[in-house]
Amino acid sequence: MRVPWARSLALALLAAATLQAELVFTRLLSAAYFPHLAFVVLSMALLGLAAAGSFTALSAASPGRPAAASAAFGASLIVCWYLFQSLAVEPLTVAEGAGALLRLAAGLLTLALPFFLAGLAIAAVFSEGAQEAERLYAADLVGSAAGGLLALGS
């Protein structure tokens, strides 16, 4: 038996985790690369989410299982941050050559990947629960607000 509010709760938690990850990445980049470069994370998050939406809209297949994409999102947060650090990205040296520019581009796309996976999970939840879109949209907004508040409190 399926609990009627389980899908909404799962989406709220996913939205909270996504927004919290965005804010945590912003703080980490701010500490590592100065505050004026940290807000690139916002662009990478939007790029990842928009790419997931475009991918879902253009693919003939269904978005898949939300649980699998959510688990991949959680794992990718750690893996992608490690990969970003291992690329030795130095944004202030981009003018020195193509290698630095390529490392920066690869690093930024690496940071966009978790948000792509979160976008796939969100699309899958909305796809499965199209008949309850109003409740899911409200859960998404409440979850995002909670994630923002949790990130501020940490």
Side-chain angles (χ1 to χ4, degrees), residues 12 16 19-20 141-151:
L19 193 74
Q20 191 167 20
L141 291 174
V142 168
S144 295
L149 291 174
L150 286 171

Side-chain angles (χ1 to χ4, degrees), residues 42-66:
L42 302 175
S43 298
M44 292 302 98
L46 288 174
L47 174 67
L49 292 168
S54 298
F55 177 80
T56 301
L58 295 175
S59 71
S62 85
R65 301 192 51 94

